[in-house]
Amino acid sequence: MRLTVLGNQGPFPGPEGACTGFLLQDKEVNILIDCGAGVISRLQKYCKISDLDAIVLSHLHSDHSSDMFVLRYAVQAKLMTKTMDKAIDVYTPKTPDKYYKELDFNNVFNLHNISDGMQLNIMGFSFTFYKTAHPVECYGMRIEKDGKVFAYSADTTYTENIIKLAENADLFLCEANATENIRKTSNPPHLSVKEACDIARKAKVKKLLLTHFWFEEPKENYRGDAEGEFNKVELSEELKTYEI
């Protein structure tokens, strides 16, 4: 498995940046995980829209799904011009209802609902979904293939479910939107860097990759919070590919 970070910012992207989106690949299989602002443009550096095998959305907050509402027009146009020959399978929570209904557009997506504890085989990848603690219905993912485990927290506050999701993962991609500096003035519904490291430590993951950065917060603050908290932790880099 290999994972390319298409965007790692939230809740909005900075200049030259993009919100959450990751391309998971193995051989000829291409699965997009989350699809926030700016992701579709970057996706096409690595994969044609017509070569997407599936899209998995952790939740329907805009910074994880807004480019889906651009992508639907792209797929519609490509189906009309016969540069694509089938709709894309999309795995997503069914709520919030307003945004879910907007995905049901001219048969460009085959919509499949996900739920807590659900296990699915998607193009040879074994997915298990874990409900997280977030203001809307949201699911983290444990993905297994060929003896390797990739875990993705999605958006959440601290919950035991994320420890189970990440247990012994080869790569744990974990949101860490809140630094200690941010926590001085606000309490966003997200993990802090230190909490992400604590989960990784308890889950005994092999490598922790942090994501979902607040663009206006200096990266030095994220690095400083992570220092000494976990033995193998990195800040994810946009447009970088990680082998799992």
Side-chain angles (χ1 to χ4, degrees), residues 179 193 216-227 235:
T179 62
V193 175
E216 294 175 338
E217 181 74 357
K219 287 291 177 62
E220 289 76 13
N221 289 350
Y222 287 99
R223 293 190 184 95
D225 284 357
E227 188 174 353
L235 274 60

Side-chain angles (χ1 to χ4, degrees), residues 151-179:
Y152 169 44
S153 70
D155 282 8
T156 188
T157 52
Y158 200 101
T159 167
E160 294 293 318
N161 238 12
I162 305 301
I163 300 172
K164 295 175 186 176
L165 172 154
E167 187 175 1
N168 296 316
D170 294 281
L171 179 65
F172 177 35
L173 178 66
C174 189
E175 76 115 305
N177 186 255
T179 62

Side-chain angles (χ1 to χ4, degrees), residues 71-175:
L71 180 62
R72 65 184 185 177
Y73 293 120
V75 176
Q76 180 189 33
K78 292 178 75 63
L79 290 171
M80 289 173 61
T81 58
K82 302 190 185 306
T83 53
M84 277 183 73
D85 59 6
K86 62 179 181 178
I88 301 176
D89 287 316
V90 176
Y91 300 84
T92 176
K94 200 172 182 177
T95 63
D97 185 64
K98 173 184 176 181
Y99 302 117
Y100 179 79
K101 286 180 176 177
E102 289 183 8
L103 292 174
D104 189 8
F105 177 80
N106 287 348
N107 298 313
V108 300
F109 300 136
N110 295 321
L111 298 177
H112 308 271
N113 300 141
I114 58 177
S115 59
D116 190 30
M118 179 179 282
Q119 296 181 329
L120 292 174
N121 185 304
I122 303 175
M123 298 301 297
F125 291 83
S126 176
F127 279 73
T128 305
F129 296 94
Y130 293 76
K131 192 170 186 180
T132 73
H134 203 52
V136 300
E137 185 182 7
C138 181
Y139 298 97
M141 307 164 202
R142 182 180 177 89
I143 304 165
E144 302 178 57
K145 192 174 192 298
D146 298 331
K148 295 289 186 177
V149 177
F150 165 55
Y152 169 44
S153 70
D155 282 8
T156 188
T157 52
Y158 200 101
T159 167
E160 294 293 318
N161 238 12
I162 305 301
I163 300 172
K164 295 175 186 176
L165 172 154
E167 187 175 1
N168 296 316
D170 294 281
L171 179 65
F172 177 35
L173 178 66
C174 189
E175 76 115 305

Side-chain angles (χ1 to χ4, degrees), residues 155-211:
D155 282 8
T156 188
T157 52
Y158 200 101
T159 167
E160 294 293 318
N161 238 12
I162 305 301
I163 300 172
K164 295 175 186 176
L165 172 154
E167 187 175 1
N168 296 316
D170 294 281
L171 179 65
F172 177 35
L173 178 66
C174 189
E175 76 115 305
N177 186 255
T179 62
E180 298 306 298
N181 181 55
I182 288 174
R183 285 274 174 91
K184 291 176 183 176
T185 57
S186 65
N187 189 28
H190 295 282
L191 293 170
S192 70
V193 175
K194 292 181 182 295
E195 286 172 329
C197 290
D198 182 58
I199 290 169
R201 195 165 49 248
K202 289 177 178 176
K204 299 180 181 179
V205 307
K206 294 180 177 66
K207 181 175 180 179
L208 171 62
L209 194 63
L210 301 179
T211 188

